[in-house]
Amino acid sequence: MRERLSSDTYIDGILAGDRVILSRAITVVESRLAEDKLLAQAILNGILPQTGRSLRIGITGIPGVGKSTFIEALGIYLTSINKKVAVLAVDPTSSKSAGSILGDKTRMEELVKDPLAFIRPSATGLSLGGVARNTREAMLLCEAAGYEVILIETVGVGQSEIFVKGMTDFFLLLALPGAGDELQGIKKGIVEMADAVVVNKADGLFADEAAQAAATFENALHLAQAGESGVAVKVLTCSALENRGIPEVWETVQQYVATTVKNGFFSKNRAAQQVDWMHEIVRQKLEDLFYQNKEVKKQLHGIEEEVGAGKMLPAEAAQLLLNLLFKI
Amino acid sequence: MRERLSSDTYIDGILAGDRVILSRAITVVESRLAEDKLLAQAILNGILPQTGRSLRIGITGIPGVGKSTFIEALGIYLTSINKKVAVLAVDPTSSKSAGSILGDKTRMEELVKDPLAFIRPSATGLSLGGVARNTREAMLLCEAAGYEVILIETVGVGQSEIFVKGMTDFFLLLALPGAGDELQGIKKGIVEMADAVVVNKADGLFADEAAQAAATFENALHLAQAGESGVAVKVLTCSALENRGIPEVWETVQQYVATTVKNGFFSKNRAAQQVDWMHEIVRQKLEDLFYQNKEVKKQLHGIEEEVGAGKMLPAEAAQLLLNLLFKI
């Protein structure tokens, strides 16, 4: 067992850009132990004034689209122009499978060795909400450690994308050439969340198909309403494998930031995200208060047994437990 | 505006198998109006003794795998052997896109006309948790109306599958021939949730590829640990389009049920689902109590503004609001 560091040691280490301390601090934030929770809160409070200065980019796309290769190519490009880059993930499925995409050590082999890059796989064994909360806090720690661009990867179609959209400034949908509309998320509402669509694997035989897929997206987006950001969604093609089109992606992100900072959307969006986050904390704390309540703790097991045996309805049991919490 | 029916009228209509009343009752359950919530509770309490007797089947698979065609083929097969079938969906993405898969009126054209079948698209405009809760309650209403098999469709990779797994007796993963491992959910932990994998589109030119995909799944499952159910996960091929392999799917489901009823897992699983549901209700009620609290209502807007303006940290604001709720 490693010795327990003080919150000040963590804070100083993070602010000095110490990657080992940063890693350990993220582990503290991910911990479910009560004493770690207090420590995590102290660390987060200490580093908060130094957060919020990075650019936060969410990246999504169906499995097989080449997210890891794309993120590595973008990461390497960014470090080549001297940006410090952190890669995080919201991958709720990693709790059940052998390992998350980022946990797979064969991925991002080059970026992992880059001194300007920091890669952290998704926490495991948590609910999606828990993973999202941890990722948000890990993002703040990375920002305090001086990382200027945070890339947050997410998987598949669904709630995890909504979480990542809710903690980033720019949301990028990675797509495949040739796959059907449905597969691309056009019908799934993901496109409507995106600030840019990038058709990956635009190489070799797929170059034509990639151009065609890009045209399909252009059409679909043309029909969609203009987004709140006031910036038209851009459709690009790239080959992460052949490392082409990556600077153009970064250029698009920068243009977006310039425009939205100017028109006020950038800060408006971050403000709304803060408010949403407050509600998320309220939800979490309500649950904590409930399940840590002495009376609830004492009776929960017996009531669960009655519900499981079909002797009490779930709704009745829930009310009974809530009455315990709120009785004076 | 339709006239408001009494809860007894709903209950009697549902128990008599009246499809129009059933439809309207589901709308009541989905409603967010306070008066509808009371009515919904009264209806659900009234029909509860008549629930739990159907077989609940969850069906998942990536977009493009042919879920609607498969569900229609399975549904038609089941009504042909005189089973009453209800089709529901947990589709959180339908809130943002033009319509859910089931909402698309061009789908399931035949099944929709079948007098033994009842099809209900996913509710829109709700969080995933809300959609899941509504679907669970709609399922109970369908059971009380005499539907013997409930097919619950879900989309994509992620939390919605966990919800559907948590409300069904049998979870079926529909897969494509030829697509890569990653696309199939092998690496995403979805396979580990499945009680059967069915490779669809095993027709014409794809027959060989389908057999190959099935072999890949067999291998992947061979390496996985035996499930809690005590039944080995079966891998099948079918063609929903050509209507082949469907009776075999049903046979597999029935064998699973026979074995798990015998070894006790069937009822153990349902008991655990009831307990999970109780916790879900607790979470929901805690939120309701909080946001309906008079003091919280009064101060929420001002506090949100401070958080949005960066004058208060989300965690501080959350604590302040919670103190309002718990002060005596």
Side-chain angles (χ1 to χ4, degrees):
Chain A
M1 270 248 339
R2 282 179 182 165
E3 66 173 319
R4 196 170 219 101
L5 303 178
S6 73
S7 59
D8 281 345
T9 312
Y10 277 111
I11 294 165
D12 293 345
I14 292 165
L15 296 180
D18 183 325
R19 296 154 59 106
V20 176
I21 297 285
L22 172 61
S23 248
R24 288 180 62 178
I26 295 176
T27 304
V28 172
V29 157
E30 287 171 353
S31 168
R32 304 174 100 173
L33 298 174
E35 60 263 44
D36 283 337
K37 278 187 180 170
L38 285 174
L39 180 57
Q41 208 47 56
I43 299 171
L44 287 165
N45 282 337
I47 56 99
L48 262 167
Q50 307 304 324
T51 63
R53 292 174 200 153
S54 81
L55 189 58
R56 304 161 177 175
I57 303 176
I59 297 169
T60 189
I62 57 169
V65 77
K67 279 195 294 293
S68 296
T69 317
F70 175 81
I71 289 170
E72 173 155 52
L74 181 58
I76 289 170
Y77 172 73
L78 289 169
T79 62
S80 81
I81 58 171
N82 241 346
K83 299 263 179 214
K84 283 185 76 180
V85 179
V87 180
L88 305 171
V90 174
D91 182 359
T93 57
S94 68
S95 60
K96 275 225 148 192
S97 64
S100 75
I101 289 180
L102 288 167
D104 187 340
K105 297 282 183 196
T106 61
R107 308 291 187 106
M108 303 200 195
E109 277 180 352
E110 267 194 73
L111 193 61
V112 107
K113 287 180 264 172
D114 196 319
L116 289 178
F118 178 82
I119 302 183
R120 177 81 180 193
S122 194
T124 56
L126 290 169
S127 68
L128 175 57
V131 171
R133 196 162 46 246
N134 284 345
T135 304
R136 203 194 283 262
E137 291 174 347
M139 176 176 82
L140 297 178
L141 296 174
C142 290
E143 289 184 339
Y147 290 90
E148 298 159 276
V149 182
I150 318 281
L151 305 176
I152 305 184
E153 170 178 359
T154 183
V155 287
V157 176
Q159 193 72 7
S160 57
E161 271 152 331
I162 295 168
F163 277 123
V164 172
K165 170 92 179 166
M167 63 176 88
T168 53
D169 305 310
F170 190 91
F171 196 65
L172 188 154
L173 170 65
L174 211 57
L176 281 174
D181 285 7
E182 271 193 292
L183 216 54
Q184 301 281 11
I186 288 181
K187 288 200 178 164
K188 293 277 132 240
I190 304 298
V191 169
E192 289 152 60
M193 284 166 56
D195 299 306
V197 178
V198 179
V199 181
N200 191 20
K201 305 195 179 177
D203 36 45
L205 291 169
F206 297 122
D208 284 354
E209 280 189 68
Q212 214 175 325
T216 305
F217 279 110
E218 293 271 15
N219 275 330
L221 290 165
H222 189 69
L223 296 171
Q225 292 175 317
E228 258 192 296
S229 70
V231 184
V233 179
K234 213 151 179 193
V235 181
L236 300 159
T237 61
C238 84
S239 167
L241 198 68
E242 298 181 355
N243 205 19
R244 281 185 300 101
I246 303 296
E248 289 77 2
V249 170
W250 181 238
E251 181 59 33
T252 299
V253 174
Q254 284 190 299
Q255 277 171 13
Y256 176 91
V257 172
T259 310
T260 54
V261 164
K262 215 170 162 185
N263 72 16
F265 179 76
F266 192 91
S267 55
K268 198 180 130 202
N269 184 45
R270 281 214 173 170
Q273 290 180 346
Q274 290 285 93
V275 172
D276 288 345
W277 191 7
M278 179 192 78
H279 289 290
E280 182 56 38
I281 296 170
V282 164
R283 268 189 290 273
Q284 185 55 47
K285 292 219 169 189
L286 281 171
E287 276 188 50
D288 289 350
L289 280 166
F290 177 77
Y291 288 105
Q292 283 159 18
N293 177 276
K294 241 169 86 180
E295 272 303 306
V296 170
K297 267 183 164 172
K298 207 159 75 187
Q299 299 207 27
L300 185 60
H301 186 68
I303 290 176
E304 281 185 341
E305 286 204 330
E306 300 233 332
V307 170
K311 289 182 196 152
M312 204 187 290
L313 293 172
E316 277 177 70
Q319 195 54 58
L320 210 141
L321 286 166
L322 286 163
N323 290 344
L324 294 177
L325 180 67
F326 286 95
K327 87 174 169 204
I328 302 158
Chain B
M1 271 254 327
R2 283 179 183 165
E3 68 173 316
R4 195 171 220 98
L5 304 177
S6 73
S7 59
D8 281 343
T9 312
Y10 278 110
I11 294 166
D12 293 345
I14 292 165
L15 296 181
D18 183 323
R19 296 155 60 107
V20 176
I21 296 285
L22 172 62
S23 250
R24 288 181 63 179
I26 295 176
T27 305
V28 171
V29 158
E30 287 172 351
S31 167
R32 304 173 100 171
L33 299 174
E35 60 263 44
D36 282 336
K37 278 186 180 173
L38 285 176
L39 179 56
Q41 208 48 56
I43 298 171
L44 285 166
N45 282 335
I47 55 98
L48 262 168
Q50 308 304 324
T51 62
R53 290 174 201 153
S54 81
L55 189 58
R56 303 160 176 176
I57 302 176
I59 297 169
T60 189
I62 58 170
V65 76
K67 277 193 294 294
S68 296
T69 317
F70 175 80
I71 288 170
E72 173 155 53
L74 181 58
I76 289 170
Y77 172 72
L78 289 170
T79 61
S80 81
I81 58 170
N82 242 344
K83 298 263 179 211
K84 283 185 74 179
V85 179
V87 180
L88 306 171
V90 173
D91 182 358
T93 57
S94 68
S95 59
K96 275 225 146 190
S97 65
S100 75
I101 290 179
L102 288 167
D104 186 340
K105 296 284 184 194
T106 61
R107 308 289 188 108
M108 303 198 195
E109 277 180 350
E110 265 194 76
L111 192 60
V112 105
K113 288 180 264 172
D114 195 320
L116 290 178
F118 178 82
I119 302 184
R120 177 82 180 194
S122 196
T124 57
L126 288 171
S127 68
L128 174 57
V131 171
R133 198 162 41 249
N134 284 345
T135 304
R136 203 194 282 263
E137 291 174 347
M139 176 175 82
L140 297 178
L141 296 174
C142 290
E143 288 183 341
Y147 290 90
E148 298 158 276
V149 181
I150 318 283
L151 305 176
I152 304 183
E153 171 177 358
T154 182
V155 287
V157 177
Q159 193 70 9
S160 57
E161 272 152 331
I162 294 168
F163 278 124
V164 173
K165 170 89 181 168
M167 64 177 86
T168 53
D169 305 310
F170 190 91
F171 195 65
L172 188 154
L173 170 65
L174 211 56
L176 282 172
D181 285 6
E182 272 193 295
L183 217 56
Q184 301 281 10
I186 289 183
K187 288 200 178 164
K188 294 278 134 245
I190 303 300
V191 169
E192 290 152 61
M193 285 166 55
D195 298 307
V197 177
V198 179
V199 181
N200 192 19
K201 305 195 179 179
D203 36 46
L205 290 169
F206 297 123
D208 283 352
E209 281 189 67
Q212 215 175 324
T216 306
F217 279 111
E218 292 271 16
N219 274 328
L221 290 165
H222 189 69
L223 296 171
Q225 293 174 316
E228 258 192 295
S229 69
V231 184
V233 178
K234 212 149 179 193
V235 180
L236 300 160
T237 61
C238 83
S239 167
L241 198 68
E242 297 181 355
N243 204 20
R244 280 186 300 102
I246 303 296
E248 289 78 3
V249 171
W250 180 239
E251 180 59 32
T252 298
V253 175
Q254 283 190 299
Q255 276 170 12
Y256 176 92
V257 173
T259 308
T260 55
V261 164
K262 216 171 162 186
N263 72 17
F265 180 76
F266 191 91
S267 55
K268 198 181 130 200
N269 184 45
R270 282 215 171 169
Q273 290 179 347
Q274 289 286 93
V275 172
D276 288 347
W277 190 5
M278 178 192 78
H279 289 290
E280 183 56 38
I281 296 170
V282 164
R283 269 189 289 274
Q284 186 53 48
K285 291 218 167 185
L286 281 171
E287 276 188 52
D288 289 350
L289 280 166
F290 178 78
Y291 288 105
Q292 283 160 17
N293 177 278
K294 242 170 87 179
E295 273 303 306
V296 170
K297 268 184 163 169
K298 205 158 78 187
Q299 299 207 28
L300 185 61
H301 186 68
I303 290 177
E304 282 185 340
E305 287 204 329
E306 300 235 331
V307 170
K311 288 182 197 152
M312 204 189 287
L313 293 172
E316 277 177 71
Q319 194 55 58
L320 211 141
L321 286 165
L322 284 163
N323 291 344
L324 294 176
L325 180 67
F326 286 95
K327 87 173 170 206
I328 301 155

